[in-house]
Amino acid sequence: MCIAAPARILEINDNMATVDFGGVRQQVKLDLVSDVEIDKYVLVHSGYAIEILTAEEAKDSLEAWDELLKVMDEEE
Amino acid sequence: MKNLTREIVERIEKIAQPVKIMHVCGSHEHTIMQHGIRTLIPPEVEVVAGPGCPVCCVPSREVDEIMYLAKKGVTVTTFGDMLRVPGTNGCLADARAEGADVRIVYGVGNAVEIANKVDNEVVFMAAGFETTAPTTASEIAQGPPENFSLLSCHRLIPPALKFLIESGEVNLTALIEPGHVSTIIGTKPYEVFSEKYGIPQVVAGFNPFDVLIAIYLILKQIKDENPHVQNEYKRAVRDDGNVKAQELMDEVFYIKNKEWRGFPSIPDSVYEIRDMYSQFNAREKFDIPELESKETVTGCICGPILRGVARPEDCKLFREECNPVNPIGACMVSKEGTCNIAYRYGSLNDYSAP
C-alpha cells in the first residue's frame, strides 16, 4: 500500500503535474511538496508527489549501493 | 561486474549472530520473498514480518461501518485491496454483488473527482499508514464537495512498534523501518526505541540490496553495541521527513486509541478527523452507531501473523481453503499481505532448511 515510485516532472499546471515514469505518463498532485520544477524528480504515492528527489537519488543505481558499501567499509 | 549481493552477504556472515529482526512493511516482505533473502542469510538471522499491510490491519469494526454505509445507499470508494477484507458479515465485494455502489479508486483524489460528478453521497474509506494519510488530509483541508466524506482508517506505525516491543510477545531484537512511512514522518519518531529499549533500527528502501544492507547495518550496530536509528534510504527519507505533509495531518487529524486487526486497542494509533472538519467525517455525518463486531473467521490466524508470532505456513487454511482466488483472512486478500506474498513466492523460500 505504501508503494511509491520516482517520476520526472514534465509539465506543471497549478497544483497538478504531468510526470513520466520511464515512459508512462500520469497526472499527479503537488500539494504535499514545495519548490517543484520541471525536470525535477518526485516520489509518487497514490497520485500525490510525497517527496522531491534529485536525479541521482531517483536512479536506484548499482553505483549507489557500491558507493554505500565503500562508505561502510571506511567506517569499519 | 562485481557481485554486490555476495559482497553484502559475506559481510553479514562475518558478523552474524542470533537475532530477530522485524519489518513492518508489505513492500519489504515482498522484496524479501521475491528475492529469497531469507535463504541467502544465515538461519540465526531471523527476519519476521509484522503489521506491514494497512488494509490487513483494518479491523472488522471498520469494515462493518463501511458496509453499513454501502447498504444505506451511499457511493463507497476505496482501494481495490479493501473490497474483500472480511467484516463480521461479509465484505464490500459482497455488498457490491448485492447492488451497492462500491467503486475502486487509485487514491483519494479520484474519490473527490467522483463526488464532483455525482449527486449521491460519496464516502472514501481511507486505509493507509502515514504514507497515505497526508493525501486525504490534503483533500479535506482544501474543502472537498459537500457530498464527500471520509471514513478514516488511517493508522500510525510508531505506536504499533511501541506496542509490539512492550508486549514482548514476539521478542524482537531489531527493526527495519518502513521507507515510505519514513519519507513522511522522518527518522526521529523511532529514536525512542533505541534510547529506551536498546533496539537497533535501520530505515530501508525496497530494493533487495536495501534490505540486505539494512540487515548488515543492524548486525553491525549489535556488534558495536551501538543501537541507534540509521537511514539507509537517504534517497527518499530526510531526517525531518516531509514537514508540509506532517503539518497537514496535524491540521486535519487528531490521534486516538483504537483496535487493529489482531491487536487490542493500541494507544494513540489511529487518525480521526478533527471537529472543525466534522462535516467531512462519515462517522458523524451518517451517525454510524456502535456496531457489534466480531473478528475474523474460525481457523484463520491473521492476528498472530500480523503480530509477527506466526507464519502463513502455520495456518491450516493456508494454500488449502485460503488462497488468493478465495481469500479467507485479510492477510491473503491484499497483495501486501504476508499470506498472499507467501502464496506467490513461497516456493522460492524453504523455511524447513536447518
Side-chain angles (χ1 to χ4, degrees):
Chain A
M1 266 271 307
C2 299
I3 289 167
R8 188 167 61 94
I9 297 186
L10 301 175
E11 214 180 285
I12 300 174
N13 287 309
D14 295 329
N15 73 333
M16 293 292 287
T18 308
V19 300
D20 173 31
F21 290 92
V24 176
R25 291 185 179 192
Q26 200 197 326
Q27 297 285 310
V28 303
K29 293 198 173 187
L30 302 172
D31 302 299
L32 302 175
V33 289
S34 312
D35 305 323
V36 278
E37 285 167 29
I38 286 170
D39 274 346
K40 273 194 176 179
Y41 282 78
V42 284
L43 189 64
V44 178
H45 167 71
S46 73
Y48 296 75
I50 60 168
E51 188 55 276
I52 297 169
L53 311 174
T54 65
E56 276 188 3
E57 286 169 338
K59 265 192 211 152
D60 256 23
S61 65
L62 276 176
E63 291 80 36
W65 283 285
D66 217 27
E67 199 57 39
L68 192 60
L69 268 186
K70 271 186 207 142
V71 173
M72 290 183 340
D73 286 344
E74 278 160 23
E75 283 171 359
E76 267 172 20
Chain B
M1 201 176 75
K2 287 195 299 180
N3 186 332
L4 195 53
T5 308
R6 190 173 305 144
E7 287 201 23
I8 306 169
V9 170
E10 277 169 10
R11 281 171 172 78
I12 290 173
E13 285 169 345
K14 227 187 275 175
I15 57 171
Q17 58 164 293
V19 288
K20 190 177 266 188
I21 303 169
M22 179 178 265
H23 72 77
V24 285
C25 181
S27 301
H28 278 148
E29 183 62 12
H30 191 268
T31 299
I32 288 166
M33 291 295 283
Q34 189 179 21
H35 299 275
I37 284 179
R38 290 190 178 97
T39 65
L40 293 175
I41 57 176
E44 67 267 30
V45 179
E46 214 185 323
V47 183
V48 300
C53 160
V55 165
C56 308
C57 294
V58 169
S60 287
R61 179 183 307 283
E62 289 162 33
V63 177
D64 294 348
E65 286 178 321
I66 199 71
M67 297 280 281
Y68 172 85
L69 295 178
K71 285 173 182 167
K72 267 191 132 182
V74 308
T75 297
V76 170
T77 57
T78 193
F79 297 110
D81 277 0
M82 209 56 242
L83 258 63
R84 293 201 291 173
V85 173
T88 306
N89 295 305
C91 60
L92 277 174
D94 300 332
R96 183 157 77 169
E98 286 161 19
D101 185 7
V102 180
R103 305 187 195 187
I104 294 171
V105 292
Y106 171 61
V108 62
N110 305 131
V112 172
E113 278 169 31
I114 291 171
N116 273 320
K117 286 180 196 154
V118 302
D119 294 328
N120 200 20
E121 286 290 334
V122 175
V123 175
F124 178 63
M125 183 185 199
F129 293 130
E130 292 94 330
T131 320
T132 317
T135 65
T136 53
S138 156
E139 294 298 336
I140 297 294
Q142 287 177 52
E146 270 180 25
N147 62 335
F148 177 85
S149 58
L150 195 74
L151 186 79
S152 175
C153 306
H154 286 312
R155 291 180 147 69
L156 291 83
I157 284 290
L161 296 176
K162 182 169 187 275
F163 180 91
L164 285 161
I165 294 165
E166 290 186 347
S167 85
E169 187 188 21
V170 61
N171 208 10
L172 59 93
T173 323
L175 287 163
I176 295 177
E177 302 297 6
H180 293 145
V181 164
S182 307
T183 298
I184 301 298
I185 69 174
T187 58
K188 293 188 176 132
Y190 306 120
E191 283 172 359
V192 60
F193 305 130
S194 295
E195 286 159 12
K196 199 168 163 195
Y197 307 98
I199 290 180
Q201 303 174 79
V202 177
V203 175
F206 301 100
N207 187 295
F209 297 129
D210 288 320
V211 175
L212 279 171
I213 287 175
I215 293 167
Y216 168 71
L217 292 173
I218 282 170
L219 290 166
K220 189 149 188 306
Q221 285 191 31
I222 295 171
K223 179 175 157 266
D224 297 343
E225 294 177 10
N226 179 24
H228 61 289
V229 183
Q230 251 174 312
N231 183 3
E232 184 277 338
Y233 196 32
K234 286 207 165 98
R235 56 196 195 279
V237 176
R238 323 276 170 239
D239 287 349
D240 291 328
N242 180 337
V243 175
K244 194 174 178 185
Q246 291 165 20
E247 285 170 357
L248 269 167
M249 290 194 289
D250 275 353
E251 187 192 324
V252 172
F253 299 124
Y254 69 98
I255 294 171
K256 62 184 275 188
N257 310 344
K258 211 166 194 184
E259 81 266 27
W260 296 33
R261 188 177 297 271
F263 291 79
S265 177
I266 303 178
D268 303 325
S269 69
V270 301
Y271 285 120
E272 184 54 283
I273 297 172
R274 287 188 188 277
D275 283 348
M276 65 179 292
Y277 294 108
S278 63
Q279 76 266 35
F280 302 118
N281 184 346
R283 291 189 177 91
E284 305 214 356
K285 189 174 192 175
F286 299 101
D287 221 357
I288 303 178
E290 276 281 316
L291 301 164
E292 288 288 326
S293 296
K294 272 194 305 208
E295 278 303 321
T296 58
V297 213
T298 325
C300 168
I301 60 164
C302 242
I305 288 171
L306 287 168
R307 297 196 302 279
V309 293
R311 282 291 307 173
E313 294 78 6
D314 300 328
C315 180
K316 63 180 194 301
L317 305 177
F318 180 64
R319 284 186 187 282
E320 305 296 330
E321 292 100 311
C322 187
N323 57 65
V325 178
N326 288 301
I328 291 175
C331 299
M332 185 61 88
V333 169
S334 171
K335 285 217 156 32
E336 298 274 298
T338 305
C339 297
N340 186 296
I341 295 168
Y343 186 95
R344 285 182 286 148
Y345 299 110
S347 57
L348 302 172
N349 297 264
D350 183 5
Y351 298 105
S352 59

